[in-house]
Amino acid sequence: MNISYNWLKQYLNINLPVEEVAQILTDIGLEVGGFETIQSVKGGLEGLVIGEVKEKEKHPDADKLSLTKVDIGSGELLSIVCGAPNVAAGQKVVVATIGTVLYNGDESFTIKKSKIRGALSEGMLCGADEVGLGKSEGIMVLDASVPAGTLAKDHFKVSSDTVLEVDATPNRADALSHYGIARDLYAYLKTRGQAVELKLPAIDKFKVEGSALPISISVEDAACARYAGVCISGVEVKESPDWLKNQLLLIGLKPINNVVDVTNFVLHELGQPLHAFDYDVVKGKVVVKKNCGGLKFVTLDKAEHELSNDDLMICNATEPMCVAGVMGGLASGTTSATKNIFLEAAYFNPVSVRKTSKRISTKSDSSYRFERGTNPEMVLIALKRAALLIQEVAGGKVDSEVVDVYPKAIAPFSVDFRYQRCTELLGEEIPKEKIKEILSALEIEIASEDATTLKLNVPAYRVDVQREVDVIEDVLRIYGYNTIAIPRKISAAMEFTVGVPVEKIRSSISQELSALGFNEILCNSLTNKEYYQGYPEFDEAGFVELLNPLSKELMVMRRSMIFGALEALQRNQSRQRSDLKFYEFGKTYRKTETGYLEQYNLTLLLTGNKEAESWNSVKDKVNFFSLKGYLAQITERTGVKNLKFKASENSLYSEVFEIRAGKKALGEIGILNKKLAKKFDAKDDVFVANILWENFCELAQNNKIQYSELPKFPEVRRDLSLLLNKETKFSELETLAFDLEKQLLKEVNLFDVYEGKNLAEGKKSYALSFILQDAEKTLVDQQIDKVMEKLINGYKEKLGAEIR
């Protein structure tokens, strides 16, 4: 939100450096992202001065140049070469002295002392276009009464302003205006003893001058707590005056016409949205109601919407004119043909406005404020302020009484404030009188008090202050976060824990995966329901749907981590990053018959090449075993052992295996369905592993680390080449080997696989290595041969293997 400093000072009598104002606002919770000084003339006419041409003669070496002597009030004459045809002695002119920077659009140049055709030139006589003051033929010639030496910026009354970029947090609806910012600044400065005064714009000149435009207002739904309006006749809708256009342009708004510009001005001045209707469309009657479902309605942005029965609408006697709190209708707005207007100001229920705004995918400055909560007591002030400004810029007169429908006043928030609780939370005692001073400056009324407690009435516009802790926070931000002393002592306690903390396991795995070249991603827990269509694993009843979705694309909680990872893949591949390794820790959500199930997961995704492109690397693609290898590394690091992989079925995958450790399910690993991968523009096969995190941590926490002495005797390696049935898996060979030899066998490894030519149909060849070692002595050939014979016989008998 852009805030004009000069505009701000209309409500608060301050003259502080803008840097100090920016720091104060940041300190009290209204962070200033930056500020920029803007001048009515670029460069502010700095270095330009009014001079008098004392002498003029023709340049001896140039027909179109003149040699002049110019008095700029310094007591000496400047020699300036001028090419303008209208220069003459006795003229008052604008002089750019040496060092002055002149601007031509985005370009600039600096005036330097130079020689032009051999003649010394100590400045420049300027035309209007050369200094940003319009257009002129030749140099500017001023009135003879202007004294030489007058600064050009003073003569032309150059104005400047500073625009602050204030990043108000979503809960600070009260700070979404110049007056709201001034109100917070006032509280800060007032409590520091400065003589500041906060004032609203004057509305005492407002008066009703006739009754030619009668209006009746009927509010039929409680979503509109207050609705006020007044009619103005005889207006001329046209372009706004310069002061109004410039004020809006300064804060980034585009001027439209004088009536609309006034409503936008008051919105950013006081934070109260307003809307101006063509009175002839209103037809003397306004009805605020719902139940317009099924009707088509075109808003001011020319978008057509189908209304629902839950949308609050501003209607005339026969049809809707405006989506309440969101945007006006195209047919009821003011145009150059409008002569009479109906001006509204209202307070709408924030939830109602937000739901409608989201449903029709339409946002505006008005809806942004109504959604967060406006000030119901500002309605009449803003209405009268806007009426006076419309009369000023568009003429006309107030031709109806002000109609204010406010059946039940919105009460302030009642909060009990305890001094002791404030001290406990802040860690420092703030004097009671100081607390009361701050509350008073914040317009929070003390209804009653005793020695320990204050009963407070918090204004309704402070929607962020409804609990005791909110009041304490408000007191602290005005008192000053930096005012609270930092403790000189830190207390700590040792805590005994059983097993490995889950946070440590996660940190360990994150470090391992990052070291392996993976990037951690963090995807939205809200997702597109359409992603899950066509996959039987996701039943309709299991979706957790949002009651008030942000958009149609984000209307359910995610059932799987895969789609978020695929969105990240799509985004990266569209930016020419095809070799991807992702991991994410996160939850999935499912609705059950008894409630809701949240399941924590670790998801890995792999696609593209194994290594980055290089002259000395081979372009091998990642495969299933690449991902399985990474999974093995993290399980080994955390002590999760004896993983088993069993073929399974899941329509998200073209091939998938269930991961188990003993009887405990750990998740799944596989290659994604090619149709699904292609939907997200994947260029290569995509491999995914999804780990059930809670089960994984349970195994990791139960892992008992045992220490053993380093072996003193050497290990021995023996190899076997086996002819096996194609269905036989390495895991069967490994398990059988350790079952046959439990004492000396330390490791089994598969180092070659062959299928194809010269092998019988349905057969494959595995080459295995076996590591044998005795911790007590060196192995001899007889022991080794006995073990290998045991393994060979076991493979023959149990798996039908043949030795090659």
Side-chain angles (χ1 to χ4, degrees):
M1 179 180 64
N2 292 329
I3 295 294
S4 158
Y5 189 33
N6 286 346
W7 194 352
L8 188 70
K9 290 191 285 188
Q10 294 178 24
Y11 318 110
L12 190 64
N13 57 326
I14 57 173
N15 193 27
L16 301 172
V18 69
E19 294 84 0
E20 186 177 343
V21 171
Q23 187 59 56
I24 292 172
L25 290 175
T26 300
D27 287 346
I28 60 177
L30 299 171
E31 183 180 358
V32 175
F35 53 85
E36 179 185 5
T37 298
I38 299 174
Q39 296 160 316
S40 58
V41 178
K42 190 169 184 178
L45 302 185
E46 292 293 338
L48 297 173
V49 64
I50 309 302
E52 181 179 357
V53 180
K54 293 294 188 179
E55 301 175 13
K56 177 227 171 179
E57 60 183 47
K58 185 176 175 299
H59 194 295
D61 296 323
D63 293 338
K64 294 183 179 181
L65 297 179
S66 301
L67 302 179
T68 65
K69 296 287 186 180
V70 182
D71 176 16
I72 61 169
S74 60
E76 59 178 303
L77 300 180
L78 297 180
S79 298
I80 299 177
V81 178
C82 180
N86 65 328
V87 64
Q91 292 174 334
K92 294 293 178 65
V93 295
V94 177
V95 181
T97 56
I98 293 171
T100 299
V101 179
L102 297 180
Y103 296 88
N104 182 15
D106 293 331
E107 298 180 356
S108 64
F109 63 95
T110 303
I111 303 299
K112 300 178 181 177
K113 187 175 183 179
S114 60
K115 284 192 175 183
I116 302 176
R117 293 287 185 94
L120 178 66
S121 185
E122 300 175 294
M124 174 179 170
L125 305 186
C126 302
D129 54 339
E130 293 168 322
V131 296
L133 292 173
K135 295 183 179 180
S136 63
E137 294 295 331
I139 61 171
M140 294 177 69
V141 179
L142 308 179
D143 189 271
S145 62
V146 182
T150 302
L151 295 179
K153 65 181 180 182
D154 295 336
H155 176 71
F156 292 105
K157 295 181 172 59
V158 174
S159 61
S160 66
D161 196 358
T162 301
V163 176
L164 298 99
E165 183 184 340
V166 179
D167 303 321
T169 51
N171 63 320
R172 291 300 308 277
D174 62 296
L176 296 177
S177 65
H178 284 74
Y179 183 77
I181 298 293
R183 186 165 48 205
D184 258 21
L185 267 176
Y186 167 81
Y188 179 90
L189 297 172
K190 183 74 173 177
T191 56
R192 279 156 180 77
Q194 298 196 26
V196 287
E197 181 183 354
L198 180 69
K199 58 180 181 180
L200 282 163
I203 56 172
D204 54 299
K205 293 184 179 179
F206 175 87
K207 63 178 181 178
V208 176
E209 300 175 77
S211 57
L213 302 178
I215 188 74
S216 71
I217 297 174
S218 172
V219 177
E220 299 180 1
D221 196 281
C224 176
R226 186 175 193 178
Y227 192 94
V230 69
C231 300
I232 304 173
S233 64
V235 299
E236 182 184 0
V237 180
K238 58 183 180 180
E239 184 179 352
S240 294
D242 287 344
W243 72 266
L244 181 53
K245 288 193 297 183
N246 291 339
Q247 199 69 71
L248 296 178
L249 288 168
L250 193 65
I251 59 172
L253 296 182
K254 180 182 177 182
I256 298 172
N257 63 50
N258 51 359
V259 173
V260 175
D261 291 349
V262 164
T263 61
N264 285 333
F265 178 88
V266 174
L267 167 69
H268 286 271
E269 179 183 49
L270 300 176
Q272 172 63 50
L274 303 108
H275 188 68
F277 297 88
D278 188 322
Y279 179 82
D280 295 337
V281 177
V282 175
K283 300 173 184 175
K285 183 175 180 64
V286 172
V287 181
V288 185
K289 65 178 184 177
K290 293 184 178 179
N291 299 316
C292 295
L295 296 178
K296 302 289 185 180
F297 185 75
V298 180
T299 46
L300 284 169
D301 58 1
K302 300 182 181 178
E304 184 179 76
H305 308 280
E306 182 174 338
L307 301 177
S308 84
N309 285 328
D310 292 327
D311 297 329
L312 186 67
M313 302 297 295
I314 312 300
C315 309
N316 59 21
T318 59
E319 60 186 352
M321 301 184 296
C322 174
V323 183
V326 181
M327 189 172 288
L330 187 63
S332 62
T334 57
T335 67
S336 57
T338 300
K339 299 301 178 188
N340 305 312
I341 64 171
F342 168 68
L343 184 64
E344 72 156 28
Y347 177 89
F348 299 117
N349 179 276
V351 175
S352 174
V353 174
R354 183 174 176 79
K355 284 184 176 180
T356 297
S357 174
K358 292 296 181 185
R359 194 190 67 77
I360 67 175
S361 299
T362 301
K363 281 192 167 293
S364 63
D365 281 346
S366 294
S367 68
Y368 186 82
R369 286 158 175 80
F370 277 129
E371 286 175 11
R372 286 155 176 79
T374 56
N375 182 1
E377 303 308 319
M378 190 62 75
V379 167
L380 286 185
I381 296 171
L383 184 72
K384 293 177 180 179
R385 168 69 165 162
L388 288 169
L389 288 173
I390 288 172
Q391 288 179 279
E392 178 183 337
V393 302
K397 64 177 183 178
V398 177
D399 227 342
S400 78
E401 293 291 337
V402 174
V403 180
D404 181 18
V405 180
Y406 194 18
K408 183 179 179 181
I410 297 175
F413 305 113
S414 180
V415 179
D416 288 348
F417 177 94
R418 292 167 293 169
Y419 293 116
Q420 181 61 32
R421 184 58 176 158
C422 180
T423 301
E424 290 172 357
L425 288 179
L426 302 187
E428 182 175 309
E429 184 176 0
I430 302 176
K432 293 181 180 180
E433 292 306 314
K434 190 65 177 179
I435 290 175
K436 293 178 187 178
E437 182 186 12
I438 291 173
L439 293 174
S440 175
L442 287 169
E443 300 181 355
I444 297 175
E445 179 190 359
I446 300 174
S448 63
E449 63 177 299
D450 57 33
T452 62
T453 306
L454 298 176
K455 290 190 176 297
L456 306 176
N457 290 329
V458 181
Y461 66 80
R462 288 305 306 273
V463 294
D464 61 316
V465 183
Q466 300 185 30
R467 304 168 301 169
E468 181 183 34
V469 68
D470 299 328
V471 178
I472 294 171
E473 181 188 11
D474 233 28
V475 168
L476 175 59
R477 69 184 184 85
I478 299 301
Y479 182 70
Y481 292 101
N482 296 329
T483 308
I484 302 295
I486 299 174
R488 295 181 174 274
K489 177 176 74 170
I490 297 178
S491 300
M494 299 295 291
E495 182 180 358
F496 176 76
T497 58
V498 178
V500 184
V502 173
E503 294 78 12
K504 188 173 182 179
I505 298 173
R506 173 171 172 167
S507 176
S508 177
I509 290 180
S510 293
Q511 291 175 18
E512 180 78 15
L513 289 172
S514 296
L516 292 170
F518 281 77
N519 290 296
E520 185 173 9
I521 58 175
L522 183 63
C523 300
N524 200 335
S525 295
L526 305 178
T527 188
N528 192 336
K529 190 176 181 180
E530 293 181 0
Y531 288 160
Y532 300 86
Q533 292 180 357
Y535 299 104
E537 290 78 10
F538 307 108
D539 58 301
E540 181 68 27
F543 285 104
V544 180
E545 298 189 355
L546 273 68
L547 295 176
N548 186 23
L550 296 171
S551 68
K552 293 178 181 179
E553 291 74 29
L554 299 172
M555 62 186 302
V556 297
M557 303 295 284
R558 63 182 174 188
R559 298 277 300 275
S560 169
M561 306 272 286
I562 291 175
F563 296 106
L566 286 173
E567 288 179 335
L569 177 148
Q570 184 179 45
R571 179 177 177 83
N572 278 269
Q573 293 204 341
S574 67
R575 288 159 176 78
Q576 290 73 52
R577 297 182 64 87
S578 302
D579 305 331
L580 302 171
K581 297 178 183 177
F582 292 148
Y583 72 95
E584 180 184 12
F585 293 94
K587 288 184 178 180
T588 55
Y589 306 84
R590 184 163 61 89
K591 190 176 181 180
T592 66
E593 293 181 357
T594 57
Y596 297 94
L597 176 65
E598 296 184 15
Q599 192 170 62
Y600 211 94
N601 303 268
L602 166 61
T603 299
L604 311 181
L605 180 145
L606 204 61
T607 188
N609 294 321
K610 289 183 179 179
E611 297 182 26
E613 187 176 17
S614 174
W615 64 272
N616 64 347
S617 65
V618 180
K619 285 187 177 180
D620 283 342
K621 299 290 184 183
V622 296
N623 54 40
F624 173 83
F625 295 100
S626 303
L627 184 56
K628 187 180 177 185
Y630 290 130
L631 180 60
Q633 285 183 263
I634 65 174
T635 55
E636 182 179 343
R637 176 160 184 160
T638 52
V640 177
K641 301 175 182 177
N642 303 322
L643 295 187
K644 305 295 181 185
F645 297 87
K646 182 181 178 181
S648 182
E649 292 186 4
N650 188 317
S651 59
L652 293 176
Y653 300 86
S654 58
E655 188 175 4
V656 63
F657 296 86
E658 181 187 11
I659 309 170
R660 300 189 73 86
K663 296 182 179 180
K664 192 171 288 292
L666 284 187
E668 61 202 14
I669 182 172
I671 177 172
L672 277 191
N673 183 314
K674 291 186 182 296
K675 184 178 178 182
L676 173 59
K678 188 175 181 180
K679 183 178 179 180
F680 288 88
D681 304 323
K683 299 175 182 178
D684 299 300
D685 289 340
V686 180
F687 302 91
V688 171
N690 190 68
I691 309 301
L692 301 176
W693 182 246
E694 291 175 356
N695 290 356
F696 184 90
C697 288
E698 185 178 333
L699 291 174
Q701 287 178 313
N702 292 332
N703 176 48
K704 294 182 179 179
I705 300 174
Q706 294 181 339
Y707 298 91
S708 60
E709 187 180 357
L710 289 174
K712 298 176 181 179
F713 301 96
E715 61 185 30
V716 176
R717 169 174 166 155
R718 289 290 186 269
D719 296 344
L720 278 181
S721 180
L722 304 174
L723 188 65
L724 301 157
N725 293 327
K726 275 192 174 181
E727 295 78 18
T728 304
K729 300 175 183 177
F730 168 69
S731 59
E732 296 177 65
L733 295 167
E734 183 182 31
T735 302
L736 180 56
F738 282 109
D739 287 343
L740 293 169
E741 177 54 52
K742 294 181 171 62
Q743 184 176 356
L744 299 181
L745 183 62
K746 303 302 179 184
E747 184 179 334
V748 182
N749 183 48
L750 174 66
F751 65 87
D752 187 50
V753 178
Y754 176 74
E755 296 181 48
K757 190 176 180 181
N758 299 327
L759 292 183
E761 186 176 351
K763 296 290 185 177
K764 63 182 177 182
S765 174
Y766 271 8
L768 305 179
S769 68
F770 301 87
I771 303 297
L772 306 174
Q773 189 177 43
D774 191 331
E776 303 297 331
K777 59 182 181 295
T778 301
L779 291 172
V780 296
D781 289 341
Q782 287 180 338
Q783 289 176 290
I784 298 168
D785 292 342
K786 186 177 179 181
V787 171
M788 295 307 298
E789 185 179 353
K790 190 192 302 183
L791 293 174
I792 290 169
N793 292 335
Y795 285 149
K796 285 180 178 180
E797 293 173 10
K798 302 286 187 181
L799 300 175
E802 298 178 32
I803 306 302
R804 297 188 70 195

